[in-house]
Amino acid sequence: MPPSPADLARRLLVDCDCPLPVPDGGGDHPALAWRRAGLMAVTGREDGPALMCPAALTLSADAALLALAALAPPDALLPPHGALLLGERARLMGLQRGGAMSANRSCRLISAADGHFALNLAREEDRDLLPAWLEADADGWDGVAREARLRPAADLVARGIEMGLPIALAAAPAPVPQPWFRRRGAGPIRAAGGNRPFVVDLAPLWAGPLAGSLLAMLGADVVKVESLARPDGARLGHAGFFDLLNGGKRSVALDFRSGEGRAALRRLVARADIVIEGSRPRALAQLGVDADEAVANGAIWVSITAYGREGAAADRVGFGDDAAVAAGLAQAMAAGWGEPMFAGDAIADPLTGLHAALAAWAAWCRGEAGLIALSLAGTTAHAMGAGIAQGDLLAEWQAMAERDGAPLYPPRAPFAPAGALGADTAAVLASC
């Protein structure tokens, strides 16, 4: 039997130094939750049946939400299920399973001479790097597949990382003994926002904005800060999904190329009780923003990276699908279903967003400033520790999901449409 979400939630709260009671219940069996979250539609071969994920990732998501609910004020309006958050983008966008192709088709599992790796071409500039990376005339997926078959996977991945490609070796699942977030105590919080934390959300795309959205549901005043020249790329995606992640936040847009814009950013960070960012550390340093300085001044700093904040990982680029492959999810699918495949939709992102929100709010409740570092790959690897079904157990989970006739979890509605880019810039800066 897998652990219950409540048991996992209690462990999370102990790990957060907030050991609070959590009532039993609060989540469905992982087979039922996977189906009811709409994740069967994005798991399995493109021309094959919908499949159950062997890893009990919904347990981890439900547990994080239960733990957050235990810390929440009575009037907080949190989602009813953590698992719901794992599948809502795919449901909104009508994504479908692709086997060795990710649900959004930007990432693919490639066969090398001795194994598999994931390559994510979500950005046009990454496609431009393909010939230089392979040292061959390869400008698309067919060329990548042709060249990769002749070379060791590790060599291809190492060269790709060096060139800044979102790429990852398809690793076997491995337990992550340490917590998936790291805390460094730095004294009490400044609490500039009083009883309502003032949150500066610098993160783009999914994981960080989801964390900020959950904090807003808990009562935080969340300001989404974007570059005028390069706003959050998710603005160009599905509008309903962008509203889910960013509705209810105030919008600030700054020109980071100007001294005035960088100075305004530093003022916002200096006032923040909680900062959420999803950048490589050197990117913020170039803007004159220093996490250690903010923490020393009493802020809670939440750093979300693809593969880690320190060492060589700090400069590594990645997204939710390739990070999940690095965590072992594709190999878990191979062990269960005979071939490496993607499971879910960029599932590392919502898993990390949930746990980032929990870690940040727990630090706020403790009144402790500090740095909280999470990676998409590390969070997914830790979440897989909730259990991996194999053999007869996986067949039983698959049968449970196929027999289940309950409706899918009701979709969430956003607080409100997300603000237009920079709609609140003047008002927010006037208060800093």
Side-chain angles (χ1 to χ4, degrees):
M1 286 291 293
S4 74
D7 285 339
L8 291 177
R10 294 181 194 112
R11 294 179 208 172
L12 289 174
L13 288 168
V14 169
D15 201 47
C16 291
D17 296 329
C18 294
L20 295 174
V22 177
D24 290 330
D28 292 314
H29 185 282
L32 303 180
W34 192 260
R35 194 202 72 81
R36 294 172 187 176
L39 291 162
M40 298 281 282
V42 284
T43 308
R45 304 173 191 87
E46 187 175 22
D47 58 353
L51 294 178
M52 178 66 214
C53 177
L57 299 179
T58 59
L59 284 182
S60 182
D62 285 337
L65 193 68
L66 282 175
L68 194 59
L71 295 169
D75 57 348
L77 297 174
L78 289 170
H81 305 278
L84 165 68
L85 304 182
L86 305 185
E88 59 186 357
R89 185 180 82 160
R91 291 171 65 185
L92 278 168
M93 297 179 64
L95 302 181
Q96 296 294 318
R97 55 190 173 273
M101 298 182 290
S102 64
N104 69 355
R105 302 305 194 260
S106 74
C107 190
R108 302 203 183 189
L109 286 160
I110 308 294
S111 297
D114 58 352
H116 292 80
F117 64 92
L119 176 64
N120 205 327
L121 298 181
R123 306 174 302 178
E124 191 60 39
E125 58 261 38
D126 293 325
R127 291 182 175 274
D128 296 339
L129 290 174
L130 294 181
W133 167 54
L134 293 169
E135 298 180 305
D137 184 15
D139 59 357
W141 289 115
D142 290 343
V144 171
R146 181 184 65 247
E147 294 295 328
R149 280 193 291 267
L150 309 174
R151 312 183 197 189
D155 290 352
L156 287 163
V157 170
R159 180 170 171 80
I161 291 171
E162 184 179 340
M163 296 186 68
L165 285 170
I167 190 169
L169 199 63
V176 177
Q178 72 275 14
W180 60 100
F181 55 86
R182 175 173 51 85
R183 299 191 305 273
R184 289 210 297 260
I189 57 175
R190 178 178 57 252
N195 293 328
R196 186 187 188 201
F198 179 65
V199 180
V200 171
D201 178 2
L202 300 170
L205 301 178
W206 193 346
L210 173 59
S213 175
L214 291 168
L215 295 182
M217 294 178 198
L218 296 168
D221 176 14
V222 183
V223 174
K224 182 176 181 65
V225 181
E226 299 171 77
S227 164
L228 275 170
R230 195 171 183 177
D232 186 349
R235 283 189 178 274
L236 301 177
H238 192 283
F241 186 62
F242 189 79
D243 288 345
L244 268 181
L245 298 184
N246 297 290
K249 302 176 184 177
R250 293 189 284 169
S251 175
V252 167
L254 302 172
D255 182 1
F256 293 155
R257 298 168 300 183
S258 72
E260 182 182 0
R262 293 192 295 272
L265 174 63
R266 290 192 292 270
R267 291 206 313 275
L268 282 168
V269 169
R271 181 173 176 256
D273 299 307
I274 300 172
V275 176
I276 302 171
E277 50 89 2
S279 303
R280 287 173 286 174
R282 68 178 183 182
L284 287 176
Q286 291 170 351
L287 298 176
V289 174
D290 184 273
D292 291 334
E293 180 182 342
V295 167
N297 289 332
I300 297 163
W301 189 282
V302 181
S303 169
I304 298 175
T305 58
Y307 293 98
R309 184 179 172 83
E310 297 182 343
D315 290 325
R316 191 171 171 185
V317 178
F319 300 98
D321 283 307
D322 54 275
V325 170
L329 194 54
Q331 289 299 87
M333 289 291 290
W337 299 113
E339 62 185 272
M341 290 180 279
F342 290 98
D345 168 35
I347 206 159
D349 274 290
L351 282 170
T352 304
L354 271 162
H355 289 88
L358 170 62
W361 194 256
W364 171 260
C365 292
R366 291 194 315 270
E368 180 185 328
L371 173 68
I372 301 166
L374 306 93
S375 73
L376 300 178
T379 303
T380 306
H382 190 90
M384 292 177 70
I388 299 177
Q390 297 177 337
D392 291 344
L393 181 58
L394 180 57
E396 178 185 331
W397 284 17
Q398 178 74 14
M400 285 179 64
E402 291 175 350
R403 287 194 306 265
D404 183 41
L408 299 186
Y409 296 138
R412 292 194 298 146
F415 284 132
L421 180 66
D424 305 294
T425 302
V428 172
L429 292 182
S431 66
C432 293

